[in-house]
Amino acid sequence: MSHGCNSCCNGDHSHMDDSPEMGVEYSLYQRIDKENLTCLNERRDGSAKEIFKPWEERLNMDKIVESDVDEELLFNIPFTGNVKLKGIIIVAPDDDSHPMRMRL
């Protein structure tokens, strides 16, 4: 698994654990302040708050967020405390509906 270590481990990535259980361990879902989460350009008000799910439901695509104005969705995702962001999972069909790029 490539993780951008810039040779910190001399190519030995055996210390990396990408098992599904790691997603549960590192999930920030409980730390998202959903009451104060905002999204600009969402077609249906409040739909952005519904797409953040617990790890076990991450593959459920019943609820989506779509842009109403242009191709951009601008999320402000506040957390209830200090967090260390290790990764982001975006689940979308393999078509033109998924994001082409993200900026943090």
Side-chain angles (χ1 to χ4, degrees), residues 4 6 15 23 26-27 50 62 66 74 84 97:
N6 297 325
H15 65 279
Y26 291 116
S27 176
E50 298 173 346
D62 290 341
E66 295 178 292
L74 304 170
K84 183 176 183 180
S97 66

Side-chain angles (χ1 to χ4, degrees), residues 30-68:
Q30 298 292 332
R31 304 269 189 250
I32 295 174
D33 182 358
K34 289 178 97 175
E35 291 295 319
N36 294 308
L37 187 146
T38 58
C39 179
L40 300 179
N41 300 338
E42 63 185 330
R43 179 174 291 168
R44 186 175 54 83
D45 285 342
S47 61
K49 294 179 181 185
E50 298 173 346
I51 64 167
F52 294 92
K53 305 172 194 123
W55 177 257
E56 299 80 25
E57 297 177 26
R58 70 191 181 282
L59 300 178
N60 181 342
M61 290 190 283
D62 290 341
K63 297 182 180 178
I64 61 171
V65 61
E66 295 178 292
S67 177
D68 66 349

